[in-house]
Coordinates of all heavy atoms in Angstrom, one line a residue:
M1 N 0.9 -1.1 0.0 CA 0.0 0.0 0.0 C 0.9 1.2 0.0 O 1.9 1.3 0.7 CB -0.8 0.0 1.2 CG -1.7 1.3 1.3 SD -2.6 1.4 2.9 CE -3.0 -0.2 3.4
A2 N 0.6 2.2 -0.8 CA 1.3 3.4 -0.9 C 0.4 4.6 -0.8 O -0.7 4.6 -1.2 CB 2.1 3.5 -2.2
A3 N 0.9 5.7 -0.2 CA 0.2 7.0 -0.1 C 1.2 8.2 -0.3 O 2.3 8.1 0.3 CB -0.5 7.0 1.3
M4 N 0.6 9.1 -1.0 CA 1.4 10.4 -1.2 C 0.9 11.4 -0.3 O -0.3 11.6 -0.2 CB 1.4 10.8 -2.7 CG 2.0 9.9 -3.7 SD 3.8 9.9 -3.6 CE 4.2 11.4 -4.5
E5 N 1.8 12.2 0.3 CA 1.4 13.4 1.2 C 2.1 14.6 0.6 O 3.4 14.5 0.4 CB 1.9 13.1 2.6 CG 1.1 11.9 3.3 CD 1.6 11.7 4.6 OE1 2.3 12.5 5.2 OE2 1.3 10.7 5.2
N6 N 1.4 15.6 0.4 CA 2.0 16.9 0.0 C 2.4 17.7 1.2 O 1.7 18.3 1.8 CB 0.9 17.7 -0.8 CG 1.6 18.9 -1.5 OD1 2.7 19.2 -1.3 ND2 0.8 19.5 -2.4
D7 N 3.8 17.6 1.5 CA 4.3 18.2 2.7 C 4.7 19.7 2.5 O 4.9 20.4 3.5 CB 5.6 17.4 3.1 CG 5.2 16.0 3.5 OD1 4.0 15.8 4.1 OD2 6.0 15.1 3.4
S8 N 4.9 20.1 1.2 CA 5.3 21.5 1.0 C 5.1 21.7 -0.5 O 4.8 20.9 -1.3 CB 6.7 21.8 1.4 OG 7.7 21.4 0.5
T9 N 5.5 22.9 -0.9 CA 5.4 23.2 -2.3 C 6.6 22.6 -3.1 O 6.6 22.5 -4.4 CB 5.4 24.7 -2.5 OG1 6.5 25.3 -2.0 CG2 4.2 25.3 -1.9
N10 N 7.7 22.1 -2.4 CA 8.9 21.6 -3.2 C 8.9 20.1 -3.3 O 9.7 19.6 -4.0 CB 10.1 22.1 -2.5 CG 10.2 23.6 -2.4 OD1 9.7 24.3 -3.3 ND2 11.0 24.2 -1.5
Y11 N 8.2 19.4 -2.4 CA 8.3 18.0 -2.4 C 7.0 17.3 -1.8 O 6.2 18.0 -1.2 CB 9.5 17.5 -1.6 CG 9.4 17.8 0.0 CD1 9.0 16.8 0.8 CD2 9.8 18.9 0.5 CE1 8.8 17.0 2.2 CE2 9.7 19.2 1.9 CZ 9.2 18.2 2.6 OH 9.2 18.4 4.0
M12 N 7.0 16.0 -2.1 CA 5.8 15.2 -1.5 C 6.6 14.0 -0.9 O 7.6 13.6 -1.2 CB 5.0 14.7 -2.6 CG 4.1 15.8 -3.2 SD 3.0 15.2 -4.5 CE 1.7 14.5 -3.5
T13 N 5.9 13.4 0.1 CA 6.4 12.2 0.8 C 5.6 11.0 0.4 O 4.4 11.0 0.4 CB 6.4 12.3 2.3 OG1 7.1 13.5 2.7 CG2 7.0 11.1 3.0
L14 N 6.3 9.9 -0.1 CA 5.6 8.7 -0.4 C 5.8 7.7 0.8 O 6.9 7.4 1.1 CB 6.3 8.1 -1.7 CG 5.8 6.7 -2.1 CD1 4.4 6.7 -2.5 CD2 6.6 6.2 -3.3
N15 N 4.8 7.3 1.3 CA 4.8 6.3 2.4 C 4.3 4.9 1.9 O 3.2 4.8 1.3 CB 3.9 6.8 3.6 CG 4.4 8.1 4.1 OD1 5.6 8.2 4.5 ND2 3.6 9.0 4.2
C16 N 5.1 3.9 2.1 CA 4.8 2.5 1.6 C 4.8 1.5 2.8 O 5.6 1.6 3.6 CB 5.7 2.1 0.6 SG 5.8 3.1 -0.9
H17 N 3.9 0.6 2.7 CA 3.8 -0.6 3.6 C 4.1 -1.8 2.8 O 3.4 -2.0 1.8 CB 2.5 -0.7 4.3 CG 2.4 -1.9 5.3 ND1 1.4 -2.8 5.1 CD2 3.2 -2.3 6.2 CE1 1.6 -3.7 6.0 NE2 2.6 -3.4 6.7
V18 N 5.1 -2.5 3.2 CA 5.6 -3.7 2.4 C 5.6 -4.9 3.2 O 6.0 -4.8 4.4 CB 7.0 -3.5 1.8 CG1 7.5 -4.7 1.0 CG2 7.1 -2.2 1.0
Q19 N 5.0 -6.0 2.7 CA 5.1 -7.3 3.4 C 5.6 -8.3 2.5 O 5.3 -8.3 1.2 CB 3.7 -7.8 3.8 CG 3.1 -7.1 5.0 CD 1.8 -7.7 5.4 OE1 1.0 -8.2 4.7 NE2 1.6 -7.7 6.7
A20 N 6.6 -9.1 2.9 CA 7.3 -10.1 2.1 C 7.6 -11.3 3.0 O 7.7 -11.1 4.2 CB 8.6 -9.5 1.5
S21 N 7.8 -12.4 2.4 CA 8.1 -13.6 3.1 C 9.2 -14.4 2.3 O 9.3 -14.3 1.2 CB 6.9 -14.5 3.4 OG 6.4 -14.9 2.3
G22 N 10.0 -15.2 3.1 CA 11.1 -15.9 2.5 C 12.1 -16.3 3.6 O 11.7 -16.2 4.8
T23 N 13.3 -16.7 3.1 CA 14.3 -17.0 4.1 C 15.0 -15.8 4.6 O 14.8 -14.7 4.1 CB 15.5 -17.9 3.5 OG1 16.1 -17.1 2.4 CG2 14.8 -19.2 2.8
L24 N 15.7 -15.9 5.7 CA 16.4 -14.7 6.3 C 17.4 -14.1 5.2 O 17.5 -13.0 5.1 CB 17.2 -15.1 7.6 CG 17.9 -14.0 8.3 CD1 16.9 -12.8 8.7 CD2 18.5 -14.5 9.5
L25 N 18.1 -15.0 4.5 CA 19.0 -14.5 3.4 C 18.3 -13.7 2.4 O 18.7 -12.6 2.1 CB 19.7 -15.7 2.8 CG 20.7 -15.3 1.7 CD1 21.8 -14.4 2.2 CD2 21.3 -16.6 1.0
N26 N 17.2 -14.2 1.9 CA 16.4 -13.6 0.8 C 15.9 -12.1 1.3 O 16.0 -11.1 0.7 CB 15.2 -14.3 0.4 CG 15.6 -15.6 -0.3 OD1 15.0 -16.7 0.0 ND2 16.5 -15.5 -1.2
L27 N 15.4 -12.1 2.6 CA 14.8 -10.9 3.2 C 16.0 -9.9 3.4 O 15.8 -8.7 3.2 CB 14.0 -11.2 4.4 CG 12.7 -12.0 4.2 CD1 12.1 -12.4 5.4 CD2 11.8 -11.4 3.1
S28 N 17.1 -10.3 3.9 CA 18.2 -9.4 4.2 C 18.8 -8.8 2.8 O 19.1 -7.6 2.9 CB 19.3 -10.1 5.0 OG 19.8 -11.2 4.3
Q29 N 18.8 -9.6 1.9 CA 19.2 -9.1 0.5 C 18.2 -8.1 0.0 O 18.6 -7.1 -0.6 CB 19.3 -10.2 -0.5 CG 20.5 -11.1 -0.2 CD 20.6 -12.4 -1.1 OE1 19.6 -12.8 -1.7 NE2 21.8 -13.0 -1.1
F30 N 16.9 -8.3 0.2 CA 15.8 -7.4 -0.2 C 16.0 -6.0 0.5 O 16.0 -5.0 -0.2 CB 14.5 -8.0 0.1 CG 13.3 -7.1 -0.2 CD1 13.0 -6.7 -1.5 CD2 12.6 -6.5 0.8 CE1 11.9 -6.0 -1.7 CE2 11.4 -5.8 0.6 CZ 11.2 -5.4 -0.7
I31 N 16.3 -6.0 1.9 CA 16.4 -4.9 2.5 C 17.7 -4.1 2.1 O 17.7 -2.9 1.9 CB 16.5 -5.1 4.1 CG1 15.2 -5.7 4.6 CG2 17.0 -3.9 4.9 CD1 15.2 -6.2 5.9
Y32 N 18.8 -4.9 1.9 CA 20.1 -4.3 1.4 C 19.8 -3.6 0.1 O 20.3 -2.5 -0.2 CB 21.1 -5.4 1.3 CG 22.4 -4.9 0.7 CD1 23.3 -4.2 1.6 CD2 22.7 -5.0 -0.6 CE1 24.5 -3.7 1.1 CE2 24.0 -4.5 -1.1 CZ 24.8 -3.8 -0.2 OH 26.0 -3.4 -0.8
R33 N 19.1 -4.1 -0.9 CA 18.8 -3.5 -2.1 C 18.0 -2.3 -2.1 O 18.2 -1.3 -2.8 CB 18.2 -4.5 -3.1 CG 19.1 -5.6 -3.6 CD 18.4 -6.5 -4.5 NE 19.3 -7.6 -5.0 CZ 19.1 -8.8 -4.9 NH1 17.8 -9.2 -4.7 NH2 20.0 -9.7 -5.3
I34 N 17.0 -2.3 -1.1 CA 16.4 -1.0 -0.8 C 17.2 0.1 -0.3 O 17.2 1.2 -0.8 CB 15.2 -1.3 0.2 CG1 14.1 -2.1 -0.4 CG2 14.6 0.1 0.7 CD1 13.1 -2.6 0.6
E35 N 18.1 -0.2 0.5 CA 19.0 0.8 1.2 C 20.0 1.2 0.2 O 20.5 2.4 0.2 CB 19.7 0.3 2.4 CG 18.7 0.0 3.5 CD 19.4 -0.5 4.7 OE1 20.5 -1.2 4.6 OE2 19.0 -0.4 5.9
Q36 N 20.5 0.5 -0.7 CA 21.5 0.8 -1.8 C 20.9 1.3 -3.0 O 21.8 1.8 -3.9 CB 22.4 -0.5 -2.0 CG 23.2 -1.0 -0.8 CD 24.1 0.0 -0.2 OE1 24.8 0.7 -0.9 NE2 24.0 0.2 1.1
G37 N 19.7 1.4 -3.2 CA 19.1 1.9 -4.4 C 19.3 3.4 -4.7 O 19.7 4.1 -3.7
P38 N 19.0 3.9 -5.9 CA 19.1 5.3 -6.2 C 18.2 6.3 -5.5 O 18.5 7.4 -5.5 CB 19.1 5.4 -7.6 CG 18.2 4.1 -8.0 CD 18.4 3.0 -7.0
M39 N 17.1 5.7 -5.0 CA 16.1 6.6 -4.4 C 16.4 7.0 -3.0 O 17.0 6.2 -2.3 CB 14.7 6.0 -4.5 CG 14.2 5.7 -5.9 SD 12.5 5.0 -5.9 CE 11.5 6.4 -5.1
A40 N 16.0 8.2 -2.6 CA 16.2 8.5 -1.2 C 15.0 8.0 -0.3 O 14.0 8.5 -0.3 CB 16.1 10.1 -1.1
L41 N 15.3 6.9 0.3 CA 14.2 6.1 1.0 C 14.7 6.1 2.4 O 15.9 5.9 2.8 CB 14.1 4.7 0.5 CG 13.5 4.5 -0.9 CD1 13.4 3.0 -1.3 CD2 12.2 5.2 -1.0
K42 N 13.7 6.0 3.3 CA 14.0 5.9 4.8 C 13.2 4.7 5.3 O 12.0 4.6 5.1 CB 13.6 7.2 5.5 CG 13.7 7.0 7.0 CD 13.2 8.3 7.7 CE 13.0 8.2 9.1 NZ 12.2 9.3 9.7
L43 N 13.8 3.8 6.0 CA 13.2 2.6 6.6 C 12.7 3.1 7.9 O 13.4 3.3 8.9 CB 14.2 1.4 6.7 CG 13.7 0.2 7.2 CD1 12.7 -0.4 6.3 CD2 14.9 -0.8 7.4
D44 N 11.3 3.3 8.0 CA 10.8 3.8 9.3 C 10.6 2.8 10.4 O 10.7 3.0 11.5 CB 9.4 4.5 8.9 CG 9.6 5.8 8.1 OD1 10.5 6.5 8.4 OD2 8.8 5.9 7.1
S45 N 10.2 1.6 9.9 CA 10.0 0.4 10.9 C 10.1 -0.9 10.2 O 9.8 -1.0 9.0 CB 8.6 0.5 11.6 OG 7.6 0.3 10.8
M46 N 10.5 -1.9 10.9 CA 10.6 -3.2 10.4 C 10.3 -4.3 11.5 O 10.7 -4.1 12.7 CB 12.1 -3.5 10.0 CG 12.4 -4.8 9.4 SD 14.1 -5.0 8.9 CE 14.9 -5.2 10.4
E47 N 9.6 -5.3 11.0 CA 9.3 -6.4 12.0 C 9.5 -7.8 11.3 O 9.1 -7.9 10.1 CB 7.8 -6.3 12.3 CG 7.4 -7.3 13.3 CD 5.9 -7.2 13.7 OE1 5.5 -6.0 13.9 OE2 5.3 -8.1 14.0
L48 N 10.2 -8.7 11.9 CA 10.4 -10.0 11.3 C 9.6 -11.0 12.2 O 9.6 -10.9 13.4 CB 11.9 -10.4 11.3 CG 12.7 -9.6 10.4 CD1 14.2 -10.0 10.8 CD2 12.5 -9.9 9.0
S49 N 8.9 -12.0 11.6 CA 8.1 -12.9 12.3 C 8.4 -14.3 11.7 O 8.4 -14.5 10.5 CB 6.6 -12.7 12.3 OG 6.3 -11.4 12.6
A50 N 8.8 -15.3 12.5 CA 9.0 -16.7 12.0 C 7.6 -17.4 12.0 O 6.8 -17.3 12.9 CB 9.9 -17.4 13.0
H51 N 7.5 -18.3 11.0 CA 6.2 -19.0 10.9 C 6.4 -20.5 10.9 O 5.6 -21.2 10.4 CB 5.6 -18.6 9.4 CG 5.1 -17.2 9.5 ND1 3.9 -16.8 10.2 CD2 5.6 -16.0 9.0 CE1 3.7 -15.5 10.1 NE2 4.7 -15.0 9.4
D52 N 7.5 -21.0 11.3 CA 7.8 -22.4 11.5 C 8.7 -22.6 12.7 O 9.2 -21.6 13.2 CB 8.3 -23.1 10.3 CG 9.6 -22.6 9.8 OD1 10.2 -21.6 10.5 OD2 10.1 -23.0 8.8
T53 N 8.8 -23.7 13.2 CA 9.6 -23.9 14.5 C 11.2 -23.8 14.2 O 11.9 -23.6 15.1 CB 9.3 -25.4 15.0 OG1 9.6 -26.3 13.9 CG2 7.9 -25.5 15.5
T54 N 11.6 -24.0 13.0 CA 13.0 -23.8 12.6 C 13.4 -22.5 12.2 O 14.6 -22.2 12.0 CB 13.4 -24.8 11.5 OG1 12.6 -24.5 10.3 CG2 13.2 -26.3 12.0
G55 N 12.5 -21.6 12.0 CA 12.8 -20.2 11.5 C 13.2 -20.1 10.1 O 13.9 -19.1 9.7
E56 N 12.8 -21.1 9.4 CA 13.2 -21.1 7.9 C 12.2 -20.1 7.1 O 12.7 -19.5 6.1 CB 13.1 -22.5 7.3 CG 14.0 -23.5 8.0 CD 15.3 -23.6 7.3 OE1 15.4 -23.4 6.1 OE2 16.3 -24.0 8.0
Q57 N 11.0 -20.0 7.4 CA 10.0 -19.2 6.7 C 9.8 -17.9 7.6 O 9.2 -18.1 8.7 CB 8.8 -19.9 6.4 CG 8.9 -20.8 5.2 CD 9.3 -20.1 4.0 OE1 8.7 -19.1 3.6 NE2 10.3 -20.6 3.3
I58 N 10.1 -16.8 7.1 CA 10.1 -15.6 7.8 C 9.2 -14.6 7.1 O 9.3 -14.5 5.9 CB 11.4 -15.0 8.1 CG1 12.2 -16.0 9.0 CG2 11.4 -13.6 8.9 CD1 13.7 -15.6 9.2
T59 N 8.4 -13.8 7.8 CA 7.6 -12.7 7.2 C 8.3 -11.4 7.6 O 8.6 -11.2 8.7 CB 6.1 -12.8 7.6 OG1 5.6 -14.0 7.2 CG2 5.4 -11.6 7.0
L60 N 8.4 -10.5 6.6 CA 9.0 -9.2 6.8 C 7.9 -8.1 6.7 O 7.1 -8.2 5.7 CB 10.1 -9.0 5.8 CG 10.8 -7.6 5.7 CD1 11.5 -7.2 7.0 CD2 11.6 -7.4 4.5
D61 N 7.8 -7.2 7.6 CA 6.8 -6.1 7.5 C 7.6 -4.8 7.6 O 8.3 -4.6 8.6 CB 5.8 -6.3 8.6 CG 4.6 -5.4 8.6 OD1 4.3 -4.9 7.4 OD2 3.9 -5.3 9.5
L62 N 7.5 -4.0 6.6 CA 8.3 -2.7 6.5 C 7.4 -1.5 6.3 O 6.3 -1.6 5.7 CB 9.2 -2.7 5.3 CG 10.4 -3.7 5.2 CD1 11.1 -3.6 3.8 CD2 11.3 -3.5 6.3
Q63 N 7.8 -0.5 6.9 CA 7.2 0.9 6.6 C 8.4 1.7 6.0 O 9.4 1.8 6.7 CB 6.7 1.6 7.9 CG 5.5 0.9 8.5 CD 4.2 1.1 7.6 OE1 4.2 2.0 6.7 NE2 3.1 0.7 8.1
I64 N 8.2 2.2 4.9 CA 9.2 2.9 4.1 C 8.7 4.3 3.7 O 7.5 4.3 3.2 CB 9.7 2.1 2.9 CG1 10.2 0.8 3.3 CG2 10.8 2.9 2.1 CD1 10.6 -0.1 2.1
S65 N 9.5 5.3 3.7 CA 9.1 6.6 3.2 C 10.1 7.1 2.3 O 11.3 6.8 2.5 CB 8.8 7.6 4.3 OG 9.9 7.8 5.1
G66 N 9.8 7.9 1.3 CA 10.7 8.5 0.4 C 10.3 9.8 -0.1 O 9.1 10.2 0.1
L67 N 11.2 10.6 -0.7 CA 10.8 11.9 -1.1 C 10.6 11.9 -2.6 O 11.3 11.2 -3.4 CB 12.1 12.8 -0.8 CG 12.2 13.2 0.7 CD1 13.5 14.1 0.8 CD2 11.1 13.8 1.2
A68 N 9.7 12.7 -3.1 CA 9.4 13.0 -4.5 C 9.5 14.5 -4.7 O 8.7 15.3 -4.1 CB 8.0 12.5 -5.0
L69 N 10.6 14.9 -5.4 CA 10.8 16.4 -5.6 C 9.8 16.9 -6.7 O 9.6 16.2 -7.7 CB 12.2 16.7 -5.9 CG 13.3 16.3 -5.0 CD1 14.7 16.6 -5.5 CD2 13.0 17.0 -3.6
L70 N 9.2 18.0 -6.5 CA 8.2 18.6 -7.4 C 8.9 19.6 -8.3 O 9.7 20.3 -7.8 CB 7.1 19.2 -6.6 CG 6.3 18.3 -5.7 CD1 5.2 19.1 -4.9 CD2 5.7 17.1 -6.4
Q71 N 8.6 19.6 -9.6 CA 9.1 20.6 -10.5 C 8.2 21.8 -10.4 O 7.0 21.8 -10.1 CB 8.9 20.0 -11.9 CG 9.7 18.8 -12.2 CD 11.2 18.9 -12.1 OE1 11.7 20.0 -12.5 NE2 11.9 18.0 -11.6
P72 N 8.9 23.0 -10.6 CA 8.1 24.3 -10.5 C 7.1 24.3 -11.6 O 7.2 23.7 -12.7 CB 9.2 25.3 -10.8 CG 10.6 24.6 -10.7 CD 10.3 23.2 -10.8
T73 N 5.9 24.8 -11.2 CA 4.8 24.9 -12.2 C 4.8 26.1 -13.1 O 4.2 26.2 -14.1 CB 3.5 24.9 -11.4 OG1 3.5 26.0 -10.5 CG2 3.2 23.6 -10.7
T74 N 5.6 27.1 -12.7 CA 5.8 28.3 -13.6 C 7.1 28.3 -14.3 O 8.1 27.9 -13.7 CB 5.7 29.6 -12.8 OG1 6.6 29.6 -11.8 CG2 4.2 29.7 -12.2
P75 N 7.2 28.7 -15.6 CA 8.5 28.7 -16.3 C 9.4 29.7 -15.7 O 9.0 30.8 -15.2 CB 8.1 29.0 -17.7 CG 6.7 29.6 -17.7 CD 6.0 29.1 -16.4
M76 N 10.7 29.4 -15.7 CA 11.7 30.3 -15.2 C 11.9 31.4 -16.2 O 12.0 31.1 -17.4 CB 13.0 29.5 -14.9 CG 12.8 28.6 -13.8 SD 14.3 27.7 -13.4 CE 15.4 29.0 -12.9
K77 N 12.1 32.6 -15.7 CA 12.4 33.8 -16.6 C 13.9 33.8 -16.9 O 14.7 33.6 -16.0 CB 11.9 35.0 -16.0 CG 10.4 35.1 -15.9 CD 10.0 36.4 -15.3 CE 8.5 36.5 -15.1 NZ 8.1 37.8 -14.5
R78 N 14.2 34.3 -18.1 CA 15.7 34.4 -18.5 C 16.0 35.7 -18.6 O 15.5 36.7 -18.8 CB 15.9 33.6 -19.8 CG 15.8 32.2 -19.6 CD 16.3 31.6 -20.9 NE 16.5 30.1 -20.6 CZ 16.8 29.3 -21.5 NH1 17.0 29.7 -22.8 NH2 17.0 28.0 -21.2

């Protein structure tokens, strides 16, 4: 789920809720790719839950926010 918030005239904030499941290795690689990506993202919260007795199947619950810079609506004068 994603929601855009207009925080000012210069930028908007994109808030996302992400749920994923897999092994600890897969989920840690997923988080690493989010952090190393080209977008300015902030990991607001994270929760890991095991769904079996050995901890092989894990669910990841993330709250992520990012910035979207807005272009000026009026043309610049030269």
Side-chain angles (χ1 to χ4, degrees):
M1 176 190 325
M4 293 289 281
E5 296 176 12
N6 193 351
D7 295 329
S8 84
T9 57
N10 299 336
Y11 68 93
M12 293 178 77
T13 304
L14 172 66
N15 297 306
C16 298
H17 178 234
V18 179
Q19 287 185 325
S21 60
T23 65
L24 183 58
L25 177 62
N26 297 132
L27 296 176
S28 61
Q29 289 173 343
F30 176 69
I31 294 168
Y32 178 80
R33 288 184 182 134
I34 289 172
E35 292 179 337
Q36 297 300 315
M39 294 181 65
L41 297 176
K42 176 184 167 192
L43 184 61
D44 294 315
S45 69
M46 178 178 76
E47 182 178 325
L48 293 171
S49 304
H51 290 284
D52 61 2
T53 57
T54 60
E56 301 268 335
Q57 283 300 311
I58 299 172
T59 297
L60 172 67
D61 193 14
L62 295 177
Q63 292 284 359
I64 301 172
S65 60
L67 292 178
L69 299 178
L70 301 176
Q71 298 294 322
T73 56
T74 58
M76 294 179 63
K77 294 181 181 179
R78 290 188 168 177

